[in-house]
Amino acid sequence: MSDPDSPVVTRIAPSPTGMMHIGTARAALFNWLFARHTGGKFLLRIEDTDRERSTPQAVEAIFAGLRWLGLEPDAAPVFQFSRAEHHRAAAMDLLARGAAYRCYMTVDELAEERERARAEGRPVRSPWRDREAPPGTNAPHVIRLRAPQDGDTIVDDLVKGRVAFRNRELDDLILIRADGTPTYNLAVVADDHDMGVTHVIRGDDHLANTPRQMQIYQALGWSPPKFGHLPLIHGPDGAKLSKRHGAQAVSEFADMGYLPEAMRNYLARLGWGHGDDEIFSDAEAIAWFEIADVVSAPARLDWPKLNHVNQHYIRLADDTRLAALVMDVLRSREAHLPHDVAARLARTIPLVKEGAKTVLELTDLVLFALRPHDTPLADKARNLFTEEVKARLARLAANLGDAPEWTSSAMHERLKTFADAEGGFGKFGPALRAILAAGAVAPDLASALAALDRGESLARIADALSQVQ
Ligand code: GLU
């Protein structure tokens, strides 16, 4: 599949002006999958030319987001601002070729032309397109592309198919502002060219820039990359993804307890698919990924589906890794932790993880096992402890105490035999559950006993009984 003469080079080019958006993560994933699929490279460019809005924290959020997602670029990142001289050199080259010109319109003249252009339903035109400035002119000016005014600029989009833009509807793009700074489209073209980018796969909010960028490529005599514009990610209601849909930032998904491999799997399905496959490995996604299979309709974030995928990966995840993630959540909650928390998590996680859709849910499911054995019974629970029930629990404790092994299957057998002898689970189950759960959610009784182990289980029963004497 890979062409040794022109290996595929993809990139993402996020602007570091806030959080790392989930749409950027999805673009990174698709570029990464395509690069891996073709044996090419996946690069990162930080588009930090907006000096007011770019921040080091936002740059760090992009690095951290890609690291977390497991989508690290194949080379050191390129910082766009540091390349301003290259962008200016490209503009000078265009001037020398006659493909760009200096435009001396004043602010007022431009405002008037804008008015006229709006009234006549046409783009802004500069009189300097066809006029030479007198030699020695030193007035403030911008540099504009001498864009074609006839015909169409055709984008053969890898996702959307052929999209034609009428050249007469496009103005002569400013390449260099009056203060000497390069504009966005020029910088993108010069950088993509210098980075050897062969495929620009980005959100379709950039489609309108593409004819502009193609015109710059043509004017510079460079062959343009192929373009593929991805449908945006919308919320479950079909509206553009926003805060009220729950989350937008990659870091929020991490904080909500989604696993990176689940995010990769789920995000791959947002706009791309391989038949009806919902769950697949990275290796499968890499083998299957074709840009032609990306759909052009907007993708909707579907929380139940994401939860389903995440639950699958939590089930597969290594218990030690899950324990470390649960510990992070517990620490962030400043929860009081028993000294043997590691051992308790190691016993409990395998018994409860099946039911967890996120690491936050998993944390809630292990809390019962971390409570002190003398946690006071809730008032409501106290009513369960009739004399009869107390006597039964004492018999149960003695019975369990004799168990040669303390596994959930052994506990299951013991409880069943005990229940049969005592006239059913209803005779002691609710009280035992109140004791073991200690005010939290708890799994079935046998699993709860196994998670708590012999010492803690018997201590909880004894403590509870002493509380209701
Ligand atoms: N810097 C642009 C953005 O953050 C991306 C430009 C591109 O991918 O060409 O939306």
Side-chain angles (χ1 to χ4, degrees), residues 291-308:
I291 302 183
D293 294 332
V294 175
V295 294
S296 57
R300 288 187 188 198
L301 186 69
D302 180 333
W303 290 102
K305 251 189 202 158
L306 172 58
N307 286 337
H308 170 76

Side-chain angles (χ1 to χ4, degrees), residues 24-356:
T24 306
R26 204 253 325 233
L29 176 68
F30 282 23
N31 278 281
W32 180 86
L33 285 172
F34 185 60
R36 291 287 172 277
H37 177 75
T38 52
K41 278 192 167 35
F42 164 60
L43 304 181
L44 169 64
R45 180 170 71 242
I46 302 287
E47 300 211 319
D48 55 350
T49 47
D50 185 337
R51 304 312 284 167
E52 303 266 284
R53 294 177 60 224
S54 298
T55 64
Q57 293 81 352
V59 173
E60 193 38 55
I62 293 164
F63 293 162
L66 290 175
R67 208 180 306 127
W68 180 74
L69 285 161
L71 301 175
E72 288 191 81
D74 296 319
V78 170
F79 287 85
Q80 188 161 64
F81 181 68
S82 72
R83 294 186 28 87
E85 279 316 314
H86 295 268
H87 308 149
R88 274 190 281 271
M92 292 308 127
D93 186 14
L94 288 169
L95 278 177
R97 290 162 173 263
Y101 61 93
R102 297 181 196 271
C103 165
Y104 296 89
M105 279 167 109
T106 64
V107 174
D108 289 346
E109 286 167 349
L110 183 58
E112 283 167 27
E113 165 60 10
R114 278 222 178 91
E115 273 303 304
R116 274 195 306 273
R118 192 166 342 168
E120 293 168 22
R122 58 164 176 82
V124 164
R125 296 287 173 213
S126 164
W128 295 95
R129 181 180 166 104
D130 306 308
R131 195 195 301 170
E132 276 290 315
T137 305
N138 205 11
H141 63 278
V142 300
I143 298 178
R144 287 183 186 269
L145 183 70
R146 182 171 279 121
Q149 291 185 345
D150 302 321
D152 292 340
T153 296
I154 306 291
V155 179
D156 271 317
D157 194 88
L158 297 167
V159 176
K160 296 184 173 292
R162 187 176 189 275
V163 190
F165 295 86
R166 289 220 163 78
N167 289 335
R168 67 177 146 78
E169 289 171 8
L170 302 176
D171 64 359
D172 282 349
L173 185 72
I174 297 178
L175 302 169
I176 302 285
R177 299 184 190 90
D179 65 2
T181 56
T183 57
Y184 168 72
N185 282 302
L186 174 64
V188 168
V189 168
D191 290 349
D192 280 338
H193 175 76
D194 289 354
M195 290 164 74
V197 171
T198 59
H199 292 74
V200 170
I201 303 167
R202 60 185 170 198
D204 68 10
D205 47 339
H206 284 284
L207 183 61
N209 287 321
T210 306
R212 311 291 212 161
Q213 294 177 9
M214 287 189 56
Q215 290 178 348
I216 300 173
Y217 278 102
Q218 279 150 11
L220 282 162
W222 295 341
S223 60
K226 294 194 166 61
F227 293 93
H229 288 90
L230 306 173
L232 295 188
I233 301 177
H234 286 186
D237 56 359
K240 201 174 166 219
L241 192 65
S242 71
K243 247 197 171 66
R244 74 194 159 81
H245 293 119
Q248 297 180 84
V250 173
S251 61
E252 290 175 289
F253 287 87
D255 291 345
M256 289 163 85
Y258 293 97
L259 298 180
E261 62 270 38
M263 290 306 289
R264 286 198 298 276
N265 187 150
Y266 179 70
L267 288 176
R269 292 287 284 112
L270 277 188
W272 173 81
H274 181 264
D276 290 333
D277 292 302
E278 289 289 347
I279 302 276
F280 40 77
S281 65
D282 288 334
E284 287 169 322
I286 289 168
W288 297 336
F289 190 83
E290 301 286 354
I291 302 183
D293 294 332
V294 175
V295 294
S296 57
R300 288 187 188 198
L301 186 69
D302 180 333
W303 290 102
K305 251 189 202 158
L306 172 58
N307 286 337
H308 170 76
V309 172
N310 203 47
Q311 183 163 19
H312 170 84
Y313 285 98
I314 287 180
R315 247 180 250 147
L316 291 188
D318 176 69
D319 294 333
T320 324
R321 173 181 168 213
L322 291 175
L325 293 171
V326 165
M327 279 302 286
D328 288 343
V329 178
L330 291 168
R331 286 202 192 96
S332 74
R333 288 183 189 169
E334 295 176 27
H336 173 77
L337 301 177
H339 67 92
D340 59 346
V341 58
R344 291 179 190 234
L345 290 180
R347 281 196 305 268
T348 311
I349 285 176
L351 294 166
V352 300
K353 71 178 189 178
E354 289 271 326

